[in-house]
Amino acid sequence: TTHLVWLRNDLRITDNRALHAACSDPAARVLAVFIATPQQWRRHEMAPRQAALLHASLRAVQQALAQKGVALHCHSCADFAASIDWLAEYCRREQVDALFYNRQYELNERRRDAQLEQRLSGRVMCQSFDDSLLLPPGSVQTGGGEMYKVYTPFRNAFIQRLAEFDVSCLPAPKIRAGGALPVPEAPAAFDYPAADIGDDYPAGEEAALQRLRAFSRERVQDYLRQRDLPAIAGTSGLSPYLAIGVLSPRQCFNRLRAEHPSVLEAPESGAFGWLNELIWREFYRHLLVAYPALCKHRPFIAWTDKVRWRNDPSLLQAWQRGETGYPIVDAAMRQLNETGWMHNRLRMISASFLVKDLLIDWRAGERYFMSQLLDGDLAANNGGWQWAASTGTDAAPYFRIFNPTTQGERFDPQGTFIRKWLPELADVPDNDIHHPHRWAEKQRRTLNYPLPVVDHRQARLETLAAFEAAKRGG
Ligand code: FAD
């Protein structure tokens, strides 16, 4: 028999449920494919940096599979529709008996998989797995059998359910009977804009596991104290790996539990605090399945669609470039533009600024983040934006509006982070770093840094009025 594993956002060989199942019969011939879909990626605004990380990770997984005697064939199609045609033909040509893949939860991906299964039905047995989550969507529900709309009760129920599911990690497959294969040629470059991802994210699951081990052993204890300070590497930095499945959430959870066995009983601990973030990741994915409209960028709270956004293109551009005159926002946006990653506290501040200070539709920000992020993930990005824009479930209420200056003072008190990304403010003393123009005026100096593009106090009032009008019915 011939088994085919279709790799998608699960670019690793350890703890990969589809791969493990495909390899469980030692007598089977096992093939693997990956299909790049550049046109589809463009439609989904995938960042060129993420495509570059995907390519490097694909190369690593191809080599790891070759050592196990499994050849990974990389193919490129325009989009999902073309990938179905190609895969159906490939299965015919290779006489595939069974197809194995790990589920993706976004709407277009689910439709593609359903169409493919229909196309193959009667000829190829299809087996799919919940692999990118600790608990499958739909498994954590209210007493009334619904998805939780509020996070904390979801988390409490989630932790209870965790004991009922097997969340252990699976080993990498054994070497096939034919032995290892020669080192394969690297997959062809994707037909996608090139991008440099620097050295921060070395490809391959070993690098990801090493970072996970070091974080769980040495830094997670301080997570609650440090996680909100962007000048410190207080978070794991694992999101780019989790987003494309170089690492699984089970690997994260089990490593955490190995270092901190009582994590579930210690809600005040850093370890629990970190687990909490992994559960936020689950929450947003479960929501995506329960409310597929989220994939179509509909707000969770319907009346918020009536907000009259100002949508000023020059303000949008100032935000995108990190030229708003608000140092913490600008430093954040430059970190994003230069590295493809942004600290969580800064994602909250800069998203709030776009929506509530510039009164720009959150979807413009969601798209821009996606087009830049190395860890771009529809569920988390949409969840984060709808939270910040007060359009989501369990979101910040619309009248809670971050003050970007006081946020900066609180979370980057000495301006260490700001100075790193805004060298033009290097000379401004700590006390004035969040009001650089006030200082420059006193010193009679000119700064090569923009004046604030809006007055926060005024902008706040306008936003409150816009939301209140929408709530009254537009
Ligand atoms: P850690 O603090 O070490 O957390 C561990 C892991 O938990 C992360 O790698 C991530 O997978 C998950 N996680 C942490 N916080 C969240 C959260 N709030 N929601 C969902 N999952 C979380 N995260 C993405 O992975 N992709 C995105 O596209 C994305 N877009 C965001 C947009 C906005 C506006 C906001 C406010 C948040 C967004 N996040 C996104 C969530 C969060 O900012 C990042 O996951 C986090 O900054 C990644 O850094 P880390 O790996 O060091 O996180």
Side-chain angles (χ1 to χ4, degrees), residues 223 235-239 274 277 341 344 347 373 375 377 381:
Y223 185 71
T235 67
S236 71
L238 287 169
S239 53
W274 194 62
E277 297 308 315
W341 189 83
N344 181 60
R347 293 189 207 209
L373 281 172
D375 63 18
D377 171 77
N381 194 41

Side-chain angles (χ1 to χ4, degrees), residues 4 43 105 113 133 178 197 206 265 309 325 337 349 399 441 447 460 472:
L4 175 64
R43 265 179 250 153
Y105 303 109
D113 295 348
L133 287 166
I197 45 175
E206 198 35 58
E265 290 86 53
W309 307 108
N337 293 338
I349 297 173
F399 46 82
E441 217 172 290
L447 281 175
R460 182 176 171 279
R472 282 196 306 268

Side-chain angles (χ1 to χ4, degrees), residues 10 54 103 132 142 180 206 262 302 312 318 337 353 383:
D10 50 350
L54 207 108
R103 294 190 189 116
S132 71
T142 62
E206 198 35 58
S262 56
D312 178 331
N337 293 338
F353 186 82

Side-chain angles (χ1 to χ4, degrees), residues 242-373:
L242 278 161
I244 59 168
V246 174
L247 194 67
S248 81
R250 289 177 301 280
Q251 288 173 316
C252 293
F253 177 59
N254 288 313
R255 176 72 354 230
L256 184 69
R257 210 163 40 168
E259 296 288 346
H260 307 274
S262 56
V263 50
L264 291 176
E265 290 86 53
E268 310 292 317
S269 68
F272 189 91
W274 194 62
L275 176 63
N276 191 46
E277 297 308 315
L278 291 175
I279 304 177
W280 269 106
R281 178 180 175 277
E282 305 263 324
F283 180 60
Y284 285 137
R285 288 189 173 214
H286 286 221
L287 276 174
L288 216 56
V289 177
Y291 302 98
L294 294 176
C295 296
K296 297 189 204 156
H297 310 285
R298 309 306 312 154
F300 197 88
I301 301 175
W303 65 259
T304 61
D305 232 1
K306 297 213 176 92
V307 173
R308 295 224 184 124
W309 307 108
R310 196 183 295 125
N311 286 345
D312 178 331
S314 64
L315 290 180
L316 175 62
Q317 199 178 63
W319 177 80
Q320 289 172 337
R321 292 184 175 167
E323 294 173 357
T324 67
Y326 283 90
I328 195 72
V329 175
D330 293 338
M333 294 306 289
R334 298 205 203 164
Q335 178 184 40
L336 174 67
N337 293 338
E338 284 184 37
T339 69
W341 189 83
M342 193 199 282
H343 188 278
N344 181 60
R345 170 58 50 180
L346 303 180
R347 293 189 207 209
M348 289 157 62
I349 297 173
S350 57
S352 170
F353 186 82
L354 182 80
V355 178
K356 303 214 177 141
D357 281 77
L358 304 184
L359 203 58
I360 289 179
D361 189 335
W362 56 276
R363 284 161 282 219
E366 182 193 15
R367 269 202 305 280
Y368 186 70
F369 265 33
M370 209 61 187
S371 74
Q372 298 297 318
L373 281 172

Side-chain angles (χ1 to χ4, degrees), residues 371-393:
S371 74
Q372 298 297 318
L373 281 172
L374 201 49
D375 63 18
D377 171 77
L378 190 143
N381 194 41
N382 182 272
W385 275 95
Q386 295 224 38
W387 181 88
S390 306
T391 63
T393 177

Side-chain angles (χ1 to χ4, degrees), residues 5-313:
V5 194
W6 179 15
L7 291 179
R8 299 107 66 93
N9 263 11
D10 50 350
L11 298 181
R12 65 182 185 284
I13 69 161
T14 40
D15 194 37
N16 183 320
R17 288 184 165 170
L19 176 67
H20 189 265
C23 294
S24 62
D25 175 359
R29 167 179 174 244
V30 179
L31 305 170
V33 292
F34 176 88
I35 310 173
T37 48
Q39 273 184 31
Q40 192 82 38
W41 294 347
R42 281 192 183 92
R43 265 179 250 153
H44 293 177
E45 329 269 348
M46 190 213 267
R49 277 194 198 92
Q50 191 173 46
L53 182 65
L54 207 108
H55 190 269
S57 310
L58 194 59
R59 170 95 181 113
V61 87
Q62 190 187 35
Q63 290 178 351
L65 280 173
Q67 282 169 11
K68 302 292 181 190
V70 176
L72 173 64
H73 179 73
C74 299
H75 186 75
S76 182
C77 291
D79 55 15
F80 285 173
S83 73
I84 299 175
D85 294 338
W86 182 81
L87 208 51
E89 171 55 22
Y90 182 86
C91 287
R92 196 195 53 75
R93 201 168 61 228
E94 295 292 338
Q95 299 186 328
V96 170
D97 299 290
L99 172 72
F100 299 77
Y101 67 87
N102 290 317
R103 294 190 189 116
Q104 290 180 288
Y105 303 109
E106 299 87 351
L107 197 57
N108 290 338
E109 281 76 350
R110 283 163 62 198
R111 285 186 178 146
R112 171 200 60 196
D113 295 348
Q115 282 168 15
L116 178 72
E117 292 215 11
Q118 205 174 20
R119 186 83 165 264
L120 297 179
S121 83
R123 286 188 289 139
V124 180
M125 194 190 69
C126 296
Q127 279 195 52
S128 58
F129 301 82
D130 288 302
D131 176 76
S132 71
L133 287 166
L134 287 168
L135 298 182
S139 61
V140 184
Q141 295 192 323
T142 62
E146 285 181 7
M147 172 63 194
Y148 285 93
K149 296 194 184 74
V150 181
Y151 173 72
T152 306
F154 171 85
R155 180 192 67 199
N156 296 341
F158 184 96
I159 288 175
Q160 284 197 339
R161 293 287 275 158
L162 207 46
E164 298 161 33
F165 281 80
D166 180 8
V167 291
S168 56
C169 290
L170 296 165
K174 295 202 179 73
I175 300 186
R176 310 301 298 166
L181 304 173
V183 178
E185 259 193 45
F190 297 147
D191 174 19
Y192 214 66
D196 183 10
I197 45 175
D199 305 323
D200 287 347
Y201 291 94
E205 54 199 287
E206 198 35 58
L209 286 170
Q210 241 175 43
R211 182 171 295 192
L212 169 65
R213 279 193 291 265
F215 177 76
S216 322
R217 195 180 318 128
E218 295 151 22
R219 291 195 287 126
V220 79
Q221 302 84 301
D222 301 321
Y223 185 71
L224 293 180
R225 269 192 304 280
Q226 301 194 336
R227 61 178 299 246
D228 271 321
L229 305 174
I232 293 176
T235 67
S236 71
L238 287 169
S239 53
Y241 294 124
L242 278 161
I244 59 168
V246 174
L247 194 67
S248 81
R250 289 177 301 280
Q251 288 173 316
C252 293
F253 177 59
N254 288 313
R255 176 72 354 230
L256 184 69
R257 210 163 40 168
E259 296 288 346
H260 307 274
S262 56
V263 50
L264 291 176
E265 290 86 53
E268 310 292 317
S269 68
F272 189 91
W274 194 62
L275 176 63
N276 191 46
E277 297 308 315
L278 291 175
I279 304 177
W280 269 106
R281 178 180 175 277
E282 305 263 324
F283 180 60
Y284 285 137
R285 288 189 173 214
H286 286 221
L287 276 174
L288 216 56
V289 177
Y291 302 98
L294 294 176
C295 296
K296 297 189 204 156
H297 310 285
R298 309 306 312 154
F300 197 88
I301 301 175
W303 65 259
T304 61
D305 232 1
K306 297 213 176 92
V307 173
R308 295 224 184 124
W309 307 108
R310 196 183 295 125
N311 286 345
D312 178 331

